[in-house]
Amino acid sequence: MVALYTDLPSLSSNKTEEFFARRSFLPEHENRLWKIEKGFVRTFTYLEDGTTVALGLWGPGDVVGKALSKLEPYQMECLTKVEATVLPLEEWTQLTETLLTHIQQAQELMVIRSHKKVDTMLIKLLAWLSKKFGSEVEKGRLIDMRLTHEDLAEMLGSSRVTITRVLGQFEQEGLIDRLSLHRIVVREEEIWYYEI
């Protein structure tokens, strides 16, 4: 994956940082993007029947915004407390890299969701989350995004009940440890064996 946003161009004085509560939404601006400074955001849309379709998960350094999508509706929900900077689209010089990142993530999520079995989809999603957003801890990699079972179900097009059952199975098998506040420790070497 392309490493992005390490050295941002200097933006004009229009650069403003805003703070958002967990489960609030980033405002949609046609000509502005949001650079996530702290926290995690999920982007999604809805089908006609109300089904949620996950479009991506984003963290510090990532850029999101309505200007990057043609979908209606296009929602940007804060999974945690979020600090984000407004970026005027006309001043954002790394648009190509931003678009590449969005395409790459969409492809990765498409492959994860293409597996036939929910347990395979979920273990692949957890491995992806731990690689992209996880931090090294004693027993593996900590996913500290506070994703609920409903969030995971929506990412995979499954039900909350199924995700709860499969997470319990993974915990019994020693693939993960579930902590308080919906945090998960993924034991990478155990997942490697599971995937074979």
Side-chain angles (χ1 to χ4, degrees):
M1 189 176 269
V2 181
L4 302 176
Y5 322 119
T6 50
D7 45 338
L8 287 171
S10 58
L11 298 171
S12 71
S13 59
N14 292 345
K15 179 180 175 181
T16 57
E17 197 167 283
E18 296 188 32
F19 301 86
F20 300 91
R22 182 178 192 271
R23 296 297 177 187
S24 64
F25 291 86
L26 297 178
E28 297 178 24
H29 299 291
E30 289 297 326
N31 296 314
R32 297 191 185 276
L33 300 171
W34 291 100
K35 178 178 178 276
I36 302 166
E37 304 294 343
K38 292 182 183 171
F40 298 97
V41 172
R42 75 174 180 146
T43 52
F44 64 95
T45 191
Y46 292 105
L47 300 179
E48 296 81 19
D49 67 0
T51 302
T52 300
V53 178
L55 301 174
L57 290 171
W58 312 98
D62 289 328
V63 175
V64 296
K66 173 71 176 138
L68 298 173
S69 176
K70 293 283 188 195
L71 295 174
E72 279 295 335
Y74 178 84
Q75 300 287 306
M76 298 169 286
E77 181 183 23
C78 301
L79 293 172
T80 61
K81 290 180 182 176
V82 169
E83 289 180 34
T85 305
V86 175
L87 302 172
L89 189 59
E90 66 275 0
E91 294 180 25
W92 184 240
T93 60
Q94 296 176 324
L95 193 55
T96 300
E97 291 89 355
T98 300
L99 291 171
L100 285 173
T101 299
H102 280 251
I103 291 167
Q104 290 166 347
Q105 187 172 124
Q107 290 173 346
E108 290 169 343
L109 292 174
M110 192 182 321
V111 169
I112 290 169
R113 287 194 62 177
S114 295
H115 291 278
K116 305 280 187 259
K117 296 171 61 182
V118 174
D119 62 336
T120 304
M121 283 192 287
L122 184 55
I123 204 71
K124 297 280 188 186
L125 179 63
L126 293 174
W128 180 79
L129 289 169
S130 73
K131 186 172 75 172
K132 183 165 172 61
F133 300 112
S135 58
E136 207 60 48
V137 293
E138 186 180 328
K139 294 184 177 180
R141 292 191 60 83
L142 173 66
I143 304 169
D144 192 11
M145 297 178 72
R146 295 182 169 93
L147 291 167
T148 65
H149 295 186
E150 185 68 30
D151 293 332
L152 293 169
E154 287 176 355
M155 290 287 301
L156 299 176
S158 185
S159 71
R160 183 196 54 76
V161 172
T162 301
I163 295 301
T164 300
R165 178 183 53 78
V166 174
L167 284 172
Q169 172 191 327
F170 288 167
E171 192 168 31
Q172 285 179 339
E173 293 174 6
L175 300 173
I176 65 169
D177 286 324
R178 291 191 285 181
L179 308 176
S180 61
L181 301 173
H182 304 289
R183 296 174 305 154
I184 297 173
V185 174
V186 177
R187 296 183 178 164
E188 290 180 306
E189 59 283 336
E190 301 298 328
I191 286 182
W192 183 80
Y193 289 118
Y194 184 86
E195 292 178 344
I196 291 180

